[in-house]
Amino acid sequence: MLVHRKARSYRWEGVQELPYKEDNRALFSSITRQVLFSDPALHGELRYFEVAPGGFSTLERHEHMHAVLVLRGRGHCLVGGEVRRIELRDLITVPPMTWHQFRATANEPLGFLCMVNAARDKPQLPSEQDLARMRSDARIAAFLHGEPDA
């Protein structure tokens, strides 16, 4: 049995804080990750992401789904064709092959748990045509521009 002591400032003892991505093709800003549980016997992985104030995750999609629980702060998320305000203890399901992105508010970090398959595909980034389609919706265009309430 392995025990990681409770989080202090959302950092668990013995859990390494890692860069969000190692793929410099993917646009993101001010975000870190911690892998809390990862074992082949689980068939899943639980990770904690923290987005600094004003930061955001990559706009991407995958063949696997995500289950997200907000643990800290507030922000907005894009899932498919919807932009939603998110806050403490909200649950977000990201279906397979659905464009998604998370953004923190300008004045506080956004921290969330994310559960995914242990074996998963690489993220797909949007093409120019995908972006044009998304930007044809004014609310999504505002979100992608960093103005989710516009």
Side-chain angles (χ1 to χ4, degrees):
M1 175 173 71
L2 179 62
V3 174
H4 294 290
R5 295 300 301 158
K6 65 183 177 185
R8 295 183 191 281
S9 299
Y10 299 91
R11 303 289 180 267
W12 284 261
E13 262 182 36
V15 176
Q16 186 178 11
E17 184 179 83
L18 302 166
Y20 168 58
K21 293 204 184 272
E22 294 165 9
D23 181 350
N24 59 7
R25 299 174 306 128
L27 181 62
F28 59 89
S29 176
S30 305
I31 183 169
T32 61
R33 71 182 162 99
Q34 297 174 70
V35 179
L36 304 179
F37 293 101
S38 182
D39 187 305
L42 288 172
H43 304 289
E45 189 172 276
L46 183 64
R47 304 169 297 173
Y48 175 76
F49 291 93
E50 189 158 298
V51 186
F56 53 90
S57 66
T58 300
L59 174 61
E60 61 190 21
R61 66 182 181 185
H62 321 262
E63 292 177 7
H64 61 275
M65 69 183 299
H66 298 261
V68 174
L69 168 63
V70 178
L71 287 185
R72 181 180 195 187
R74 293 176 293 130
H76 292 83
C77 67
L78 167 67
V79 178
E82 292 188 51
V83 175
R84 295 282 179 100
R85 181 181 306 271
I86 56 175
E87 58 188 45
L88 191 61
R89 293 186 288 282
D90 281 350
L91 298 170
I92 302 101
T93 300
V94 180
M97 295 308 290
T98 303
W99 295 114
H100 59 281
Q101 185 176 55
F102 293 84
R103 290 181 173 268
T105 61
N107 58 352
E108 65 184 322
L110 173 66
F112 55 90
L113 293 173
C114 180
M115 185 172 59
V116 294
N117 299 8
R120 56 192 179 277
D121 61 307
K122 290 192 180 254
Q124 297 177 18
L125 302 178
S127 67
E128 287 303 319
Q129 292 87 357
D130 294 323
L131 287 170
R133 235 181 340 270
M134 285 185 255
R135 289 181 178 133
S136 69
D137 179 312
R139 187 141 193 250
I140 293 174
F143 172 86
L144 294 174
H145 194 260
E147 303 163 1
D149 290 324

